[in-house]
Amino acid sequence: MKSFTSVVLALASAAGSAIAYSGDMTYYTPGLGACGKYNSESDHIVALAPAQYGSDANPNKAKVCGRKISIHYGGKTATATVVDKCPGCASGSIDVSPAVFKQLAGLDRGRVKVTWGYASSAVVRAEDFGDGRVRLAFADDDDDVNFEYESFENAVANEL
């Protein structure tokens, strides 16, 4: 039964990460981001458009802060951590650090069309009853997303 459970969990997780965005990717010189942390050009970070960042009363506590996204361009993929809001970005567009941009395209390009998605959009809770029955439940994105950015600051990728 465990192999069946593993397959079900893998399928459920894949279904949740199928949400994708598309838009322009540009780069900027990071500093103090909307999530309340300082970053540099060498950090792998991203600023989201207001439509994806949200409008929390305190932007330092935005639920997207600390989340990882996967960005795809020209057959390449880069990962970045959400640390900022890009007020001038259209919905689906992102602004990244030079380090991230260089992983996907030369800085001389300045602006490229990309697709991206949250590296882990769905949280699946599994309860194994021990008698071959398993209950799976998708958690609402609002339930388990970054209530405290500090807890993600030094996290390892598999902890996110």
Side-chain angles (χ1 to χ4, degrees):
M1 235 12 199
K2 287 193 185 242
S3 62
F4 173 74
T5 304
S6 298
V7 170
V8 171
L9 286 173
L11 290 172
S13 183
S17 63
I19 298 170
Y21 299 91
S22 63
D24 290 341
M25 178 180 73
T26 53
Y27 66 92
Y28 72 113
T29 302
L32 176 60
C35 293
K37 303 291 180 190
Y38 284 94
N39 291 280
S40 71
E41 292 185 19
S42 62
D43 293 327
H44 292 255
I45 58 162
V46 61
L48 299 182
Q52 284 74 49
Y53 189 88
S55 56
D56 294 274
N58 179 351
N60 293 178
K61 302 287 185 185
K63 292 179 178 169
V64 295
C65 290
R67 288 194 72 181
K68 301 270 186 196
I69 69 167
S70 295
I71 309 161
H72 310 283
Y73 173 75
K76 298 177 183 175
T77 301
T79 303
T81 303
V82 177
V83 299
D84 207 352
K85 184 177 191 174
C86 175
C89 288
S91 181
S93 292
I94 55 177
D95 211 4
V96 298
S97 63
V100 173
F101 200 95
K102 286 190 274 188
Q103 280 190 295
L104 300 170
L107 293 179
D108 59 321
R109 298 289 311 269
R111 177 182 302 268
V112 295
K113 297 280 186 195
V114 297
T115 59
W116 64 273
Y118 293 102
S120 203
S121 294
V123 175
V124 179
R125 298 191 203 290
E127 183 178 353
D128 188 345
F129 293 106
D131 60 1
R133 295 180 303 132
V134 177
R135 179 182 7 205
L136 300 176
F138 284 98
D140 183 354
D141 280 347
D142 290 342
D143 288 344
D144 290 314
V145 180
N146 313 351
F147 290 108
E148 293 298 327
Y149 177 48
E150 291 79 13
S151 65
F152 290 89
E153 187 172 48
N154 296 312
V156 180
N158 66 0
E159 294 176 330
L160 299 177

